[in-house]
Amino acid sequence: MFSRFVQSSSLLRQATANNSISSSNATSFIRSTSSTRRALSVNSTTPKSSSPLLAGDAGKKATHLHHRMTTFLAFATPLYLFTPSSYTDGMLDKSFGVLVATAISAHSWIGLNYVATDYVPKISKALIGPARVFNLVLGVVTFVGLSKIALNDEGGVKGTVAGLWRPVVAVEGEEKE
């Protein structure tokens, strides 16, 4: 494992070839350098002017929540969609539909904030605030739209997704174009 790090750094390769540093010193140097770089990259990409309320990707809690929502969506959504409708009709369908709408909109909001933090400063640091506002508005619109489908449409979210694969039935009296 150590030899891989030595090969990747010309400075370390030269130092170990000359036996001027030991392998344990080189390993500690690698760890301290990578943690310093990580700290510098986090501090340099985190916008100072953006509101903490809009920064959905700020801190360990946001990352933890984002990963938990990913796990929830990966397991619960197929389980919900493939459960027969006779088991999930009624209040269970509506409540799970709103829960999925909440998880999808929050997941996309946090994920898009990660994208904004990483890529928007490459264009202009002044655009971070507007990008975060756009991400928040997009998350709210996603939540409202999916919640409306979950609460008002026949079959909820499951019925809407299943409707994507149902063939269109022609109604009598209408002409085909």
Side-chain angles (χ1 to χ4, degrees), residues 4-125:
R4 183 180 61 173
F5 288 122
V6 172
Q7 291 171 356
S8 65
S9 170
S10 61
L11 177 66
L12 286 175
R13 200 174 331 120
Q14 181 182 10
T16 54
N18 296 336
N19 291 327
S20 61
I21 63 171
S22 66
S23 62
S24 62
N25 289 341
T27 305
S28 64
F29 174 75
I30 291 169
R31 287 185 185 144
S32 67
T33 306
S34 64
S35 64
T36 304
R37 284 184 188 151
R38 194 174 318 121
L40 289 174
S41 69
V42 169
N43 289 337
S44 66
T45 59
T46 305
K48 305 287 190 255
S49 63
S50 185
S51 170
L53 182 63
L54 292 175
D57 61 339
K60 290 182 180 180
K61 288 184 180 180
T63 302
H64 182 73
L65 180 65
H66 184 73
H67 290 281
R68 293 290 178 170
M69 283 187 287
T70 302
T71 305
F72 170 76
L73 288 169
F75 289 109
T77 304
L79 183 69
Y80 166 67
L81 291 175
F82 293 123
T83 303
S85 295
S86 60
Y87 294 128
T88 60
D89 280 346
M91 196 60 177
L92 181 65
D93 185 41
K94 290 181 181 192
S95 61
F96 197 79
V98 171
L99 185 64
V100 167
T102 303
I104 288 174
S105 60
H107 177 79
S108 66
W109 173 60
I110 293 172
L112 286 173
N113 272 302
Y114 280 119
V115 171
T117 299
D118 290 343
Y119 296 107
V120 171
K122 293 177 182 181
I123 297 169
S124 171
K125 289 187 180 187

